[in-house]
Structure formats: C-alpha cells, structure tokens
Amino acid sequence: MPILKSLGVADPKVPRAGTLPLRSSRNPFEEVPGPEEDEVGELGSLPNGTSCRRRATLEKLAGLAPFRLGWTPGRRAGSPGDGQSRSFLGRVLTPGIRRSSADFGLLARLQGTRAQGDEEVAGEAARRLAFLRLGRGPKPRRASLAERVVPAGEAAPEPPPKVPEPPKMKEPLSVLEILSLIQQRELARADEHILELEAEELASSGGGAPGPPGAEGAAGGRRARDVALLYEALQRELWALVRETLAGPGPGAGAGAGAVAQLGQVLVQEEAADGRRGPGAARKLRARWAEAVARAARERLEAAAPGAPGGLAGQLEALRARLLEDMGVVRGRLAPAYPAGLGAFGVYLRGYHGALADWLGAAARRRLPLADRYALLHWHNQVYPREVLGLVDLVALENGELGPLLSPGTLRGLEDECVTDVKAQTRAALLRVLQENEEHWGSTEEQPSSLAQDVCELLEEHTERAPRVSQEFGERMAHCCLGGLAEFLQSFQQRVERFHENPGVRELLPDRYISRTISLVNCGPPLRALAERLARVGPPESEPAREAAASALDRVTRLCHRVLADLLFQELQPHFNKLMRRKWLNSPEALDGIVGTLGAQALALRRMQDEPYQALVAELHRRALVEYVRPLLRGRLRCRSARTRSRVAGRLREDAAQLQRLFRRLESQASWLDAVVPHLAEILQLEDTPSIQVEVGVLVRDYPDIRRKHVAALLDIRGLHNTAARQEILAVARDLELSEGGALSPPRDRAFFSDISVPRPPFCLGLPLFLGRLPLSQLTRPGLACLPRLRPPFPSRPPTQR
C-alpha cells in the first residue's frame, strides 16, 4: 500500500470507475473476481483467453495512457480548474483547424508551465515502469491466437481481409510552426505552408486578390497580417542566406548547397505564385533576390577595400582579388545549387558589377592625385576587362553585355584632369631641372650632365602610362608632352646661346668650356628621339610641335658644332697659312701639322654621341677642305709653266689622299668631299681644251654650288689667258649653272664653293685699244698684261654705299 501510494495509485480496496478491485496479496496485479467478469465478453478478450481489462488497468496504473497537449498527470479530463485553457486547447488541438497568431502567447505560457511538469512526470513514470517490471517477473509465453481459437487437427481459417484505413487528413501548421520552419532554414516547406495560408486567406476574403505585404483588409485582417509577417521573416532568412553563402567554404561561412537549393526552390515557387496573383499583387521575390545579391556584393567589396595598403592602387588590387575569390565561389558552389532557370551566375555577376560601379563612381567624384587617377583609369579600362571579365562567360548572361562601370563623361573628365595636371607639373619640373643644370655649366668642377635623362624620365612617366589606359588617351598625352617638350627646348636653346655668348667662360675655362659644349650637344639625340616618338604616337596636330622641337635642337647642335670647329680651326689656321706657297711644294710640313692637330682633337670629340659626332666630323671634313682650297682659288700660287702645273697637281693629289685617310680614320661619312681636290688637280694639269671642258663639267655636276668665277680663277692659276679657250671652258660652267639642276642651291651640309670667295676675274687688254696710248715696250711687262675689269655702273640702280 505505501508503495502504491508512492506511485500515485489509489487504494486498491476502493474500486474506481472502469477498473477492477485488486487483491491485497503479494502480487498487486492479480485480478479479483467480481460481477464485472461476466462482462468480459462484452469488452472483448485476447486470443489466449486473458482479459483486456487488466491491460487497460495496468496502463492507467502506470500512468502510460496516451495524453494530448495540455493534459496534466493526476488531473482528469473533467476535473475542475481547466477553465478557459481547456476551451483554448480544444480549439488549438482540433484536427483541421489552423492555430492563429493570437493563440501563441497563451500556448507559450502553457508550454512553459508544462515543461517543468513534463520533466517530473517523465522521471516518475520511469521509476514506476522499473518497479512494475521487477514485480511481474519474466514475461510468460502466450499461446498464439490460432492455437486458442482453432481446434487441434483442423486447418486454420483464412484471416479476414484488411479493411483499408481512411487517409489521414493533413493537419495544417500553425503560424508559429511555420515560423519555426523558417528559423530552422526549412525554407521551401515554410514557403509552401505560407502559400497555403495565403490561399486560405484569399478564399476567406471572397476570392479577391491579396493585398501587398503589410496590407490589412477589413476581413481576414489577422490572417493577412500573419501572412505578411511570415513573408518578412522568410525574406530575412533568404537574404541572410545570400550574405552567408558568399563568405566562402570555411567554418562559419554560411549554409551549404542544400540551403542554397532551398532558396532557389522558394524563388521558383514564388515566381509561379506571382503568375496566379496577378501583376498588382506580385511579391517579385526574384527581383528582391537580385537586390539582396547586390547589397551583399557591396558589403563584400566595401569590407575588402579600406584596409588595403598602397592608396587607391592597393584598394583596386584588393577589389580585384575579392572579385575573383567571390566569383570563384559563385561559379563552383552557388550557381550549380540554384535551379537552372534562375540564371544565378548572371545575377551574381551583375550584382558585383553594379556594386563595383558604385564604388568606382564614388572614388572618381573625389579629388584624386594624379597617380590615383592613372590607377583608376588603367584598372577600369584594362585590369577589370582582362583579369575579371576575361574569366567570365559573358555569352551566358541572359540580358546581354554588362554596362560600363563609369560613364563616358566621367572617364573623359578624369582624362582631362590628368592632361591638365601633367601639363602644369611637367612644365614646372622641366624648368626646375633646366635651372639646376644651368647652374653647373660655368662651374670649375667636372660633373656629368643628366639633363636629357631627367627630361626623358619626366615625360616618359606619362607617355608610357597613358597608352595603357587607351589608345586615344595615349595620343592626347603624347600631344600634351610634346608641346611641353617643345617649350622646354626653346628655353634650352636660349640658355645655350647665352652661355656661348659669354666670353668670360671661354677665356677662363677653355678646357671646361669644350667639355660643357660637348655635353650640351649630347642632350640632342635622346631629346630628338623622344620628340619623334611622341609625334608618331600623337595625333596629326602634333606635327607643328615636333618641328619646333627639332628646330630648337638643330640650332643648339649647329651652334655647338660651330663653336667647337672655330676653336679647332683657330689652332689650325697657322698651318693653313703655309699652304699654296713655294715652300709647300717642297715640304709636307704644313699638312702634317693639320693632320696631327685634327687627330689629337678627335680624341676629345669621341666623347660626343654618334649622331652629333658624325655631323661634327663631316663639318670638320668639309671645312678643312674649304680652307685647303681657299688659298688655291684666291691666286696665292701661279703656274707659269707646264712643269709647275704638274708639280702643283701632284702635290694636290698627295695632300688629298692624306686628308682622305685622316677623315676615314675619324669615321667621316662625307665621302662626297674626296673628289674635289683631285678634280682641281686634273683641271690644272690637262693641256687640251676639250679635256678641260669635260673635267669642268664633271666638277660642276658634282658640286653644283660652283660658279664661273671659281672656274675663271682656276684658269688664271693654270695660266690660261687664251680668250677663245677661256670662253669655251666658261661656257660649260655657264650652261650647267643656268640649267635646271645647276640652278638649285645645295643644302647647307653639301655646300663647298659657296663658302669660298674669290676676287673679280681679270681680263686681258686688247692691243688695238692701247696702240696710241702706251708704248710697246711697256706692253711686254707682265704686270700690265692683265688689268682688273672695269665695272660700268647700272643706270637703273644707284651704286651701293659701303
């Protein structure tokens, strides 16, 4: 009895309704015969002959009878105290009726009070079962139903056919249960029940279209509010899932492919439901999904950029890495989990593209330094299309190509700002470099000049970066830099001219003066090559700037060459004064001095770069031969016999060969000068007029700047005073001079005879003119044989005052 009381069982001596009294023996579960035993047949018995009444009693005794939600052990169904909660439970637990959100608070309170009671009941029931098993002992073997019903030796009858059970009616879930599914990420099931709830709300409202989320109608307002709240909760989980799945496959990185598949299934279900709702009531979850992807992409990019080192270039590199990482996750894990009809990869790509466009647009609106603008333009035009979009199959996009990250107007504005800043910065930097370099021109210290290198580095920094952005931007930048270079070279030319006009520098520092002049000349080739390259890259409008730059460099080069040549020929002038004299015919001393001095100075000139060095050596070659021929044509030496003419011609050939060997050793390219002295020697040595005419014709053809006065002076040197022969020879020079080819003036570097001035050609007096004026004895004197030709004044032009 105490044991039964501890188990919560009533006194067995007092029978309860629907149970049998128990004997107070050792076995507490032994049946007590009574009048109720006659009703066993009414209640039914088991095949082994035992009564089912004992089994029911044990179940009730042990507290194992089935109970529903809200039943408390020890309280009967009809016990007082149920009150309003019993009516609530009847409403909540009635099959086929959906529990609404108004019952959630009371249900939660009941479940909260039930939770502690359930734990106590569970522990007490476990103790009762253990005690009952110990009292019953081992379970006896019972005869089967066939052994008890069928007599021995007879065949067992066929079992009665099974009556199919009626299909169980699916109980609709409550709003809290749907919300629980959402929180457990069973999104597809939750969406199905939400659609059912929405259909019920639609049916209860008379078939009208449901309002938009959050709308509350007059009828069914609570159910419509429940639907709206569930959709809000569902969307929160969906968009949270979108953010989490982009975090990568690491721990805590978000749901896996199953959750993404559920997300895609929800989108498909909602898109089908939108077709039934109509355009005015469509929820458009697919469009909101795309917006959620764009928001998640924006958050991912903004989180990657700020912490990157290296300014804007470092941030752009971080964006590139994040884009490649996330698009790899989308391509490998996310896109295959979505249904194929959603085009998930294109949605993610467009979301990242739009987020990146917003980021770049915000960066472009800021006042960026020049380096950051270069980096932004290069990344936009080259890095993103090649390294990001180049790895994406754009054909797979449903709506065609992606739009531009930045508008054409924004790009043009960035380029204009770059060009303006480059023009201002390079102008100031070039002038600063020129000023610093000019300060060392007059110093006594030997310092190598880096002017050309500094200028090229300043401009090439921009001319090399701009074409990487686009060809058009490269052309604009080349035109801008070429204009700045032309201005710099004009200023450079003026400063070089002032430097050479200062006599104090030349007198005080002769050695440094030559070295500094060579260094100034060496600035020409790299700057000229830069100007030519910029003109090729730039638009056609760059040609005037190129010509201005080339003209300034030509002036600087010619000025420095003239200065060096003047200094050299000042030293050579004493040796040239010894030419074409009697001593020159007998001794090579004068020419040896010329050759030795030129060879010694060539060592210093070799420090010059190849292009200006070749030009200088060619000028020295030309000027040396001009100075060599000048005293010959000015009549310093007269040949009065064939023997003298032969000696002079031989000496000319020897000197010409020696000078040719010298300038070949100096790598002169002016080979057109090698034949001038041999031609003159031939004219002096030939005796017959036709041969002289041929040689004069060759001379005039090879050196078109020769004039009749030069030929006449040469005829005077060889002693040809025959008027007819002179006229025949001079006629050849006149005809070639007046011809089309001879009338053209040669270029400055091919001029030779135009730099040689000769006196007016003399003429021989005719004998009849002076028969009555001069004695015949005076006509034999050689000094009176030839007189200078009288020049009559021109009546149409007054005489020039000198």
Side-chain angles (χ1 to χ4, degrees):
M1 292 296 292
I3 297 177
L4 294 179
K5 288 182 179 180
S6 64
L7 293 176
V9 181
D11 190 354
K13 295 181 180 179
V14 182
R16 296 174 59 185
T19 60
L20 295 176
L22 299 179
R23 297 178 181 176
S24 57
S25 61
R26 187 172 185 179
N27 187 357
F29 304 108
E30 184 177 353
E31 294 185 8
V32 179
E36 292 84 358
E37 291 182 357
D38 298 336
E39 299 176 2
V40 173
E42 298 177 4
L43 297 176
S45 60
L46 296 177
N48 58 359
T50 60
S51 173
C52 63
R53 194 177 293 274
R54 178 187 179 189
R55 183 170 184 174
T57 303
L58 289 177
E59 290 179 350
K60 293 180 180 180
L61 179 62
L64 299 178
F67 59 90
R68 294 186 178 269
L69 180 65
W71 181 83
T72 305
R75 179 180 296 178
R76 297 173 179 265
S79 61
D82 289 343
Q84 188 178 357
S85 63
R86 175 170 175 80
S87 62
F88 162 73
L89 291 176
R91 185 176 68 251
V92 171
L93 301 178
T94 303
I97 298 179
R98 188 186 303 275
R99 294 175 294 279
S100 64
S101 59
D103 302 326
F104 295 164
L106 185 55
L107 182 60
R109 290 196 298 272
L110 289 176
Q111 288 179 346
T113 57
R114 194 188 72 180
Q116 183 176 1
D118 288 346
E119 294 178 358
E120 297 176 358
V121 170
E124 187 176 357
R127 290 193 299 271
R128 291 177 181 178
L129 288 176
F131 173 76
L132 293 175
R133 289 194 188 98
L134 291 176
R136 290 168 54 186
K139 184 176 180 180
R141 179 184 178 278
R142 296 180 180 179
S144 64
L145 184 61
E147 293 176 355
R148 291 183 175 271
V149 176
V150 180
E154 296 183 6
E158 294 184 1
K162 292 184 179 181
V163 180
E165 297 181 0
K168 292 184 179 180
M169 188 172 136
K170 182 178 179 182
E171 181 180 356
L173 299 182
S174 65
V175 178
L176 277 184
E177 290 169 332
I178 298 175
L179 181 62
S180 178
L181 291 178
I182 295 174
Q183 294 173 352
Q184 295 172 9
R185 292 286 175 88
E186 297 185 16
L187 304 177
R189 284 187 57 200
D191 185 62
E192 292 176 359
H193 289 285
I194 295 175
L195 292 176
E196 293 176 1
L197 182 60
E198 186 181 30
E200 294 176 6
E201 191 271 335
L202 179 63
S204 65
S205 61
E216 182 173 355
R222 177 179 298 175
R223 189 171 297 172
R225 186 174 65 252
D226 291 344
V227 172
L229 294 175
L230 288 174
Y231 266 116
E232 290 179 3
L234 177 65
Q235 291 183 51
R236 281 196 299 270
E237 291 298 324
L238 290 175
W239 312 152
L241 184 61
V242 169
R243 291 192 302 271
E244 294 170 6
T245 52
L246 284 174
V260 177
Q262 289 200 48
L263 193 156
Q265 185 178 352
V266 170
L267 296 177
V268 172
Q269 293 173 178
E270 287 296 327
E271 191 171 15
D274 283 345
R276 297 189 300 269
R277 294 184 184 115
R283 298 189 181 274
K284 301 179 181 178
L285 253 64
R286 185 169 180 178
R288 298 184 183 184
W289 167 56
E291 296 173 359
V293 169
R295 288 194 301 271
R298 187 179 301 109
E299 294 173 0
R300 294 279 295 169
L301 295 182
E302 291 176 354
L312 185 62
Q315 295 179 7
L316 293 172
E317 178 61 23
L319 289 179
R320 184 194 68 84
R322 177 59 57 87
L323 279 169
L324 293 179
E325 176 187 355
D326 288 0
M327 294 313 298
V329 171
V330 171
R331 182 189 295 274
R333 293 195 301 112
L334 303 184
Y338 282 97
L342 294 178
F345 186 77
V347 172
Y348 276 88
L349 180 60
R350 292 182 187 279
Y352 273 91
H353 185 81
L356 184 61
D358 294 341
W359 194 94
L360 293 181
R365 287 188 293 271
R366 298 196 301 267
R367 179 60 183 174
L368 297 174
L370 181 60
D372 287 350
R373 280 199 294 271
Y374 270 129
L376 180 58
L377 288 171
H378 178 255
W379 198 90
H380 175 275
N381 288 19
Q382 299 296 329
V383 176
Y384 182 67
R386 182 181 63 248
E387 299 186 14
V388 178
L389 296 184
L391 305 177
V392 176
D393 185 11
L394 295 180
V395 181
L397 296 178
E398 294 180 355
N399 298 327
E401 297 182 356
L402 298 170
L405 291 174
L406 297 176
S407 65
T410 303
L411 291 176
R412 184 72 177 186
L414 289 174
E415 293 178 358
D416 292 341
E417 292 176 0
C418 286
V419 171
T420 303
D421 288 355
V422 167
K423 183 181 296 185
Q425 293 182 12
T426 53
R427 179 181 300 174
L430 291 176
L431 291 179
R432 183 175 61 253
V433 168
L434 180 58
Q435 182 67 30
E436 294 175 355
N437 195 271
E438 185 183 13
E439 294 175 356
H440 301 290
W441 290 357
S443 64
T444 58
E445 299 178 0
E446 182 68 22
Q447 295 181 354
S449 177
S450 61
L451 177 63
Q453 181 180 357
D454 295 341
V455 171
C456 291
E457 289 178 356
L458 283 173
L459 297 180
E460 287 176 352
E461 178 184 359
H462 306 289
T463 58
E464 291 179 357
R465 297 184 67 176
R468 299 174 187 171
V469 175
S470 66
Q471 181 179 0
E472 180 184 0
F473 184 51
E475 293 178 357
R476 295 183 61 194
M477 188 59 66
H479 180 64
C480 170
C481 293
L482 183 57
L485 179 62
E487 295 179 3
F488 165 78
L489 291 179
Q490 292 173 0
S491 178
F492 174 64
Q493 172 201 340
Q494 297 172 1
R495 295 173 187 250
V496 170
E497 290 174 352
R498 288 200 302 266
F499 172 73
H500 288 300
E501 289 172 359
N502 186 4
V505 177
R506 184 183 305 182
E507 294 174 359
L508 296 177
L509 304 169
D511 296 337
R512 294 286 182 269
Y513 180 74
I514 295 176
S515 176
R516 185 61 60 188
T517 302
I518 293 175
S519 66
L520 293 177
V521 173
N522 286 337
C523 294
L527 296 178
R528 189 185 302 274
L530 177 61
E532 294 292 337
R533 185 167 63 254
L534 294 178
R536 287 194 302 269
V537 175
E541 295 81 10
S542 303
E543 187 61 24
R546 186 200 66 80
E547 293 177 355
S551 176
L553 288 175
D554 289 341
R555 292 192 184 98
V556 170
T557 302
R558 285 197 299 266
L559 175 60
C560 294
H561 283 177
R562 187 176 70 249
V563 167
L564 293 175
D566 290 344
L567 292 176
L568 180 58
F569 279 92
Q570 286 178 5
E571 187 176 353
L572 292 175
Q573 194 59 42
H575 301 286
F576 283 112
N577 291 335
K578 299 177 182 179
L579 297 177
M580 308 304 164
R581 299 182 184 277
R582 296 289 180 181
K583 187 177 180 180
W584 166 73
L585 285 175
N586 300 322
S587 174
E589 178 184 355
L591 190 65
D592 291 343
I594 294 173
V595 172
T597 303
L598 284 174
Q601 293 296 332
L603 297 176
L605 299 179
R606 287 304 303 167
R607 292 181 296 171
M608 197 176 297
Q609 294 192 15
D610 290 340
E611 182 180 352
Y613 173 78
Q614 296 294 337
L616 178 59
V617 170
E619 175 63 20
L620 293 178
H621 192 176
R622 187 194 70 84
R623 191 164 175 178
L625 290 177
V626 166
E627 296 298 330
Y628 182 85
V629 174
R630 188 192 304 275
L632 176 65
L633 296 183
R634 294 185 68 87
R636 185 180 293 180
L637 183 65
R638 300 281 180 169
C639 301
R640 305 184 183 278
S641 63
R643 181 174 176 274
T644 304
R645 290 197 298 272
S646 178
R647 290 182 60 194
V648 171
R651 189 64 184 170
L652 290 176
R653 293 190 184 95
E654 291 178 3
D655 291 351
Q658 190 173 356
L659 290 173
Q660 183 177 356
R661 290 192 297 270
L662 169 66
F663 285 104
R664 282 183 179 177
R665 189 170 67 251
L666 297 181
E667 301 178 0
S668 173
Q669 302 297 326
S671 58
W672 60 280
L673 294 169
D674 295 338
V676 60
V677 176
H679 281 317
L680 298 178
E682 288 295 327
I683 294 173
L684 290 178
Q685 189 175 8
L686 291 175
E687 296 295 337
D688 56 317
T689 301
S691 299
I692 296 176
Q693 287 179 319
V694 172
E695 197 63 32
V696 169
V698 173
L699 184 64
V700 174
R701 183 198 63 192
D702 293 344
Y703 303 94
D705 62 333
I706 194 172
R707 296 295 180 260
R708 281 176 294 174
K709 61 182 180 179
H710 300 102
V711 178
L714 193 58
L715 295 179
D716 292 339
I717 293 170
R718 74 180 310 278
L720 181 60
H721 301 296
N722 188 343
T723 305
R726 289 176 65 93
Q727 293 299 327
E728 292 178 1
I729 296 172
L730 292 176
V732 176
R734 184 182 64 249
D735 294 342
L736 294 176
E737 181 180 345
L738 297 178
S739 64
E740 183 177 359
L744 296 176
S745 299
R748 182 68 183 86
D749 56 348
R750 298 299 294 265
F752 186 83
F753 288 98
S754 59
D755 288 348
I756 301 175
S757 60
V758 295
R760 297 185 182 92
F763 70 98
C764 295
L765 296 176
L767 188 59
L769 182 62
F770 291 96
L771 286 178
R773 300 181 182 181
L774 295 176
L776 294 178
S777 60
Q778 294 182 2
L779 293 178
T780 59
R781 295 173 57 185
L784 298 178
C786 295
L787 297 177
R789 177 179 297 177
L790 299 177
R791 183 178 182 182
F794 292 97
S796 60
R797 185 176 62 185
T800 304
Q801 297 180 359
R802 298 184 179 180

